[in-house]
């Protein structure tokens, strides 16, 4: 029991950390999708890049907005048929009992055609 319980605790903590990182990745992907959609239909409502960035931050509800990096890229913002790409990055760190096992940036890029 004394040997097995610490290993099980480490295993459970590791599973929780990986699940949290995956949840953040799904949130980043959804926020990028929301931003790309706003940019794609924004031609009709006069959306600016700052408004698209804000819609991404709003869609990433449980993430820290100060660490969220948003890049909306479109050379022809108001030209129908051009592509707009929204890239969202967020840092992650898998920390098991004070030891950082993995860290880096969660990145998601979504491309949509401007309507």
């Amino acid at each position: 029991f004394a040997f097995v319980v610490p290993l099980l605790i480490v295993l459970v903590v590791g599973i929780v950390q990986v699940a949290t990182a995956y949840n953040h990745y799904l949130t980043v992907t959804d926020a990028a999708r929301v931003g790309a959609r706003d940019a794609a239909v924004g031609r009709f409502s006069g959306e600016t890049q700052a408004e698209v960035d804000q819609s991404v931050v709003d869609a990433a509800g449980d993430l820290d907005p100060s660490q969220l990096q948003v890049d909306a890229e479109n050379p022809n913002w108001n030209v129908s048929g051009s592509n707009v790409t929204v890239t969202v990055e967020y840092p992650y760190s898998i920390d098991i009992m004070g030891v950082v096992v993995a860290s880096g940036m969660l990145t998601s890029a979504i491309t949509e055609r401007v309507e």
Side-chain angles (χ1 to χ4, degrees):
F1 185 78
F3 292 116
V4 174
V5 169
L7 293 174
L8 288 176
I9 290 173
V10 168
L11 182 65
V12 168
V13 169
I15 290 171
V16 168
Q17 288 286 320
V18 169
T20 301
Y22 184 68
N23 183 329
H24 288 174
Y25 174 73
L26 292 177
T27 303
V28 164
T29 301
D30 185 50
R33 187 175 300 118
V34 167
R37 183 67 186 153
D38 281 353
V41 298
R43 182 170 73 95
F44 300 114
S45 61
E47 288 274 325
T48 64
Q49 185 164 349
E51 291 172 332
V52 170
D53 292 351
Q54 186 59 45
S55 69
V56 170
V57 171
D58 292 344
D62 62 339
L63 301 181
D64 182 8
S66 66
Q67 295 183 346
L68 199 63
Q69 299 172 8
V70 181
D71 180 34
E73 182 179 305
N74 182 357
N76 299 314
W77 189 267
N78 292 322
V79 177
S80 179
S82 65
N83 290 331
V84 61
T85 301
V86 175
T87 304
V88 180
E89 293 183 342
Y90 190 76
Y92 77 95
S93 177
I94 297 177
D95 181 6
I96 299 176
M97 307 298 240
V99 177
V100 176
V101 178
S103 63
M105 295 296 280
L106 300 171
T107 304
S108 183
I110 305 292
T111 301
E112 287 201 21
R113 184 174 304 274
V114 175
E115 294 180 2

